[in-house]
Amino acid sequence: MVGVFLRSEENNLPEKRLAIRQTREILRLHFESQLSPRKIAAICKVGKGTVQRYLERLKAAGLSWPLPTDLDDVALERRLFPPSPVPSSQERPLPDGAVIHKELKSRKNVTLQLLWEEYKQAYPEGYAYSWYCESYRQWQRRWTWCFGRTPCRGKDVRRSCWSDGSGDGPKTGEVRQAQVFVAVLGASNYTYAEASWSQNLWDWIHSHVRAFEFFGGTSQLVIPDNLKSGVNKPCYYEPELNRTYGDLAIHYGVGILPARPYRPRDKAKAEVGVQIVQRWVLAALRKRQFFSLAELNEAILELVHRLNQRPFRKLAGSRAELI
């Protein structure tokens, strides 16, 4: 009997089935010869993990050695590899390409990753991210074929803290635009964000104070943008700090080095932090309406904690673990 391929529901990768003759040989070597999985893998020319998985499948199937005499190869195959339950259309609905396209086009900072996570929250048995994206790409190709066009779419970072502001905050129930303050620690990318009514001196200073409280301390260096509330006179060599902002630095014992004009790389951490907050915090709140600044900041803080606990894609751990 030749080996076949089975699609695993856990990781959506094809899992190779061994021939039943080889499966029986693995079981015989384990139960009768009392060999270790490593030796069995060497004899049968398979991986050690494959041997362990087949032994686990035997236990999960409720079988023991010796196998029943009336259990033929086809029946053994079915017992070891029972068909996976197929979710119904209500449990696993197809992603709606038109809705995805509308969200991406009309909502700023909305990404496919965010839409897929919202889809999985609504349908835990739904499709994986790769298939979700492929489904949308197929919808795009069909849409293009029908309509003939495509839908639109230098410092010590370990001891530094970058701060910046974003004017793309969510709107409140009073139809009043809120500003978003973002602070990022250099080494860990640990992020803080809050909303305020403006970027004036009062809000700018108090946002720094709350950021330090959130971090549980201060950094040696703060690298802000050349905001008028913090820097009276932007200069390439000797920027003039606002007096109150300077008093804040003296009180907390930190140094303030504003980014140079027209040098966004001086505050690259803040720029990236603003983009991440816009995508993972503000975009996630796009469908909600708030009637007070405190209510909005409570929702932002919850998503910020979730962002800091989110595992890195290419590194081990998360922002919260590296702080």
Side-chain angles (χ1 to χ4, degrees):
M1 180 178 179
V2 297
V4 296
F5 287 88
L6 172 70
R7 182 166 295 278
S8 171
E9 290 296 331
E10 296 179 357
N11 52 16
N12 292 329
L13 295 176
E15 178 185 349
K16 185 177 181 180
R17 293 188 192 176
L18 301 177
I20 290 299
R21 175 180 55 81
Q22 199 172 9
T23 302
R24 291 181 182 272
E25 181 66 10
I26 290 176
L27 300 179
R28 185 190 69 81
L29 293 174
H30 176 75
F31 290 103
E32 293 185 3
S33 302
Q34 300 293 321
L35 296 180
S36 64
R38 186 181 299 276
K39 292 182 178 179
I40 297 175
I43 295 173
C44 298
K45 303 297 187 296
V46 297
K48 178 183 174 182
T50 301
V51 175
Q52 294 176 340
R53 284 197 299 271
Y54 270 69
L55 295 177
E56 293 173 357
R57 283 186 176 273
L58 182 74
K59 183 179 179 181
L63 298 174
S64 60
W65 188 265
L67 297 174
T69 56
D70 58 343
L71 192 67
D72 58 6
D73 291 348
V74 177
L76 178 60
E77 178 91 6
R78 292 176 179 173
R79 293 288 296 274
L80 293 179
F81 296 93
S84 302
V86 180
S88 63
S89 57
Q90 289 79 15
E91 297 175 342
R92 180 185 281 187
L94 291 173
D96 192 336
V99 174
I100 297 174
H101 171 61
K102 182 179 178 181
E103 290 289 338
L104 292 175
K105 184 178 179 180
S106 59
R107 304 282 186 173
K108 188 177 181 181
N109 302 314
V110 176
T111 62
L112 279 172
Q113 178 77 21
L114 175 64
L115 295 177
W116 172 75
E117 290 186 1
E118 293 177 348
Y119 166 79
K120 288 291 287 186
Q121 289 178 0
Y123 307 102
E125 299 296 331
Y127 294 96
Y129 176 68
S130 58
W131 200 95
Y132 184 88
C133 296
E134 178 61 27
S135 174
Y136 176 62
R137 284 192 290 267
Q138 292 178 2
W139 179 88
Q140 279 185 312
R141 287 193 288 269
R142 291 194 299 269
W143 197 93
T144 305
W145 182 83
C146 293
F147 296 96
R149 57 191 177 92
T150 306
C152 301
R153 223 196 136 167
K155 299 174 179 66
D156 187 358
V157 299
R158 296 170 297 176
R159 303 175 181 177
S160 304
C161 171
W162 279 257
S163 60
D164 200 357
S166 171
D168 298 327
K171 294 182 179 180
T172 63
E174 300 177 352
V175 195
R176 185 176 178 183
Q177 190 77 17
Q179 310 294 317
V180 177
F181 173 88
V182 178
V184 182
L185 292 181
S188 63
N189 290 325
Y190 197 69
T191 303
Y192 171 75
E194 69 168 29
S196 58
W197 288 129
S198 67
Q199 294 183 359
N200 59 24
L201 181 60
W202 173 271
D203 290 328
W204 179 253
I205 296 297
H206 282 79
S207 293
H208 278 70
V209 173
R210 286 186 287 268
F212 294 152
E213 293 176 353
F214 179 82
F215 293 144
T218 61
S219 58
Q220 290 185 346
L221 188 64
V222 175
I223 305 174
D225 196 3
N226 283 282
L227 193 68
K228 191 65 176 177
S229 300
V231 182
N232 288 337
K233 182 179 179 182
C235 179
Y236 194 89
Y237 299 102
E238 296 181 359
E240 180 184 339
L241 292 180
N242 180 282
R243 180 180 238 176
T244 305
Y245 198 28
D247 291 341
L248 174 77
I250 296 174
H251 176 75
Y252 283 100
V254 300
I256 296 180
L257 181 62
R260 294 172 296 177
Y262 310 107
R263 291 295 185 272
R265 290 187 178 181
D266 287 0
K267 54 184 180 66
K269 289 280 185 178
E271 296 291 342
V272 175
V274 168
Q275 185 182 59
I276 291 176
V277 169
Q278 288 175 340
R279 290 181 176 179
W280 294 106
V281 177
L282 303 185
L285 299 175
R286 67 191 185 281
K287 297 180 181 179
R288 298 179 57 180
Q289 190 177 36
F290 302 92
F291 297 94
S292 69
L293 194 64
E295 181 184 359
L296 172 59
N297 278 323
E298 183 178 353
I300 290 177
L301 188 61
E302 179 182 353
L303 293 176
V304 166
H305 281 300
R306 189 182 306 175
L307 170 65
N308 289 324
Q309 296 290 340
R310 190 182 189 88
F312 293 119
R313 287 190 176 182
K314 297 183 180 180
L315 297 175
S318 62
R319 293 172 172 83
E321 295 177 3
L322 295 180
I323 187 173

